[in-house]
Amino acid sequence: MSEMSAMNRKLKQTVAETISKQVEHFNKTEIECLIREFTVLLGEPAAPGRAVTGLDRAKFRSILHNVFGMTDDMIMDGVFRTFDNDNDGFVGIKEWIEGLSVFLRGTLDEKIKYCFHVYDLNGDNYISREEMFHMLKNSLIRQPTEEDPDEGIKDLVEITLKKMDHDHDGRLSFGDFEKAVREENLLLEAFGTCLPDTTSIEIFEQRVFQEQLEP
């Protein structure tokens, strides 16, 4: 083992140690595996000598698409924004691990917060009629026979508001969303798939945690 790779290993362990004290749902070994996966996904910097700070939007979206089967651009952008805590346009190593802890293993509470954040497209702490309309329009399959598909979506938005808008102000606050999801868990992803399904999670965890741990 060269000095360089020994040093990298030491650094990885130190980083894993620090992050494991701040992030739930992963143990230190799993965090080391996630750091290794992050490094692989990051690849080489495009410009020599330029340090890469994290996964940019394009790289991150291709991971969501290729690894977790997501296809909706608007939702993938929302997931990127939710992972990118400091809004610097990159998902850094700690953001990656914090995001994945909810994405892969989050409690219902954590997932409610996460999904709400993804669906709040403009970050004003409400999911508006317009935001619902755009997300539902993107996620529903159009029927070629429909006269005006937008009308059907507008009706769906009104039905959704009637069910979820507890304070009747014509938009969903976090409180509205949380109450609705607790009463009916299926509403967690009401506006589009922003969490991976169990099969994707199992495949990802097996590849990253088990295969990397084998000698």
Side-chain angles (χ1 to χ4, degrees):
M1 196 190 233
S2 72
E3 271 182 49
M4 189 64 189
S5 54
M7 191 173 86
N8 280 347
R9 173 134 187 80
K10 189 86 191 95
L11 182 66
K12 215 172 268 182
Q13 283 174 332
T14 312
V15 173
E17 183 78 50
T18 309
I19 294 177
S20 67
K21 291 182 180 130
Q22 301 165 329
V23 176
E24 294 189 24
H25 311 313
F26 294 130
N27 61 37
K28 185 166 168 279
T29 311
E30 288 171 333
I31 287 174
E32 280 189 47
C33 293
L34 288 170
I35 292 173
R36 195 177 312 162
E37 177 70 7
F38 180 82
T39 315
V40 171
L41 290 167
L42 206 51
E44 294 304 312
R50 248 194 86 220
V52 185
T53 52
L55 300 164
D56 62 22
R57 187 183 298 265
K59 258 190 187 146
F60 188 79
R61 278 174 49 147
S62 77
I63 296 163
L64 291 178
H65 179 66
N66 299 330
V67 180
F68 298 107
M70 292 192 180
T71 51
D72 186 327
D73 289 340
M74 203 177 278
I75 296 291
M76 287 195 283
D77 276 347
V79 176
F80 176 78
R81 203 182 53 247
T82 306
F83 268 67
D84 178 21
N85 264 329
D86 59 6
N87 298 318
D88 68 346
F90 291 95
V91 171
I93 189 114
K94 185 160 177 271
E95 291 172 331
W96 161 252
I97 292 165
E98 283 174 339
L100 284 178
S101 83
V102 175
F103 195 68
L104 301 174
R105 299 181 177 180
T107 61
L108 181 61
D109 279 359
E110 289 170 330
K111 285 179 176 170
I112 290 173
K113 280 187 192 131
Y114 161 84
C115 290
F116 182 81
H117 201 287
V118 171
Y119 298 146
D120 174 16
L121 301 176
N122 64 0
D124 68 351
N125 295 321
Y126 289 97
I127 304 172
S128 67
R129 268 191 171 84
E130 291 72 27
E131 287 170 328
M132 284 181 218
F133 178 80
H134 289 307
M135 289 184 287
L136 290 171
K137 187 173 177 168
N138 263 18
S139 66
L140 294 173
I141 299 185
R142 302 277 167 76
Q143 299 304 325
T145 49
E146 283 183 55
E147 295 282 303
D148 181 3
D150 285 4
E151 278 310 309
I153 294 162
K154 281 178 189 153
D155 291 346
L156 192 56
V157 167
E158 293 312 316
I159 292 165
T160 308
L161 272 170
K162 196 172 272 185
K163 188 166 179 55
M164 297 176 82
D165 177 20
H166 294 284
D167 57 8
H168 308 298
D169 62 351
R171 57 189 186 170
L172 297 187
S173 64
F174 177 71
D176 288 334
F177 185 72
E178 183 180 32
K179 189 168 175 2
V181 173
R182 285 193 190 288
E183 286 170 6
E184 177 50 84
N185 287 179
L186 289 173
L187 291 171
L188 183 63
E189 294 186 89
F191 306 111
T193 304
C194 59
L195 284 163
D197 60 36
T198 43
T199 312
S200 305
I201 293 174
E202 277 166 24
I203 293 168
F204 178 80
E205 291 203 356
Q206 188 171 359
R207 181 175 63 77
V208 175
F209 298 147
Q210 285 161 11
E211 289 172 15
Q212 289 197 17
L213 292 175
E214 284 162 13

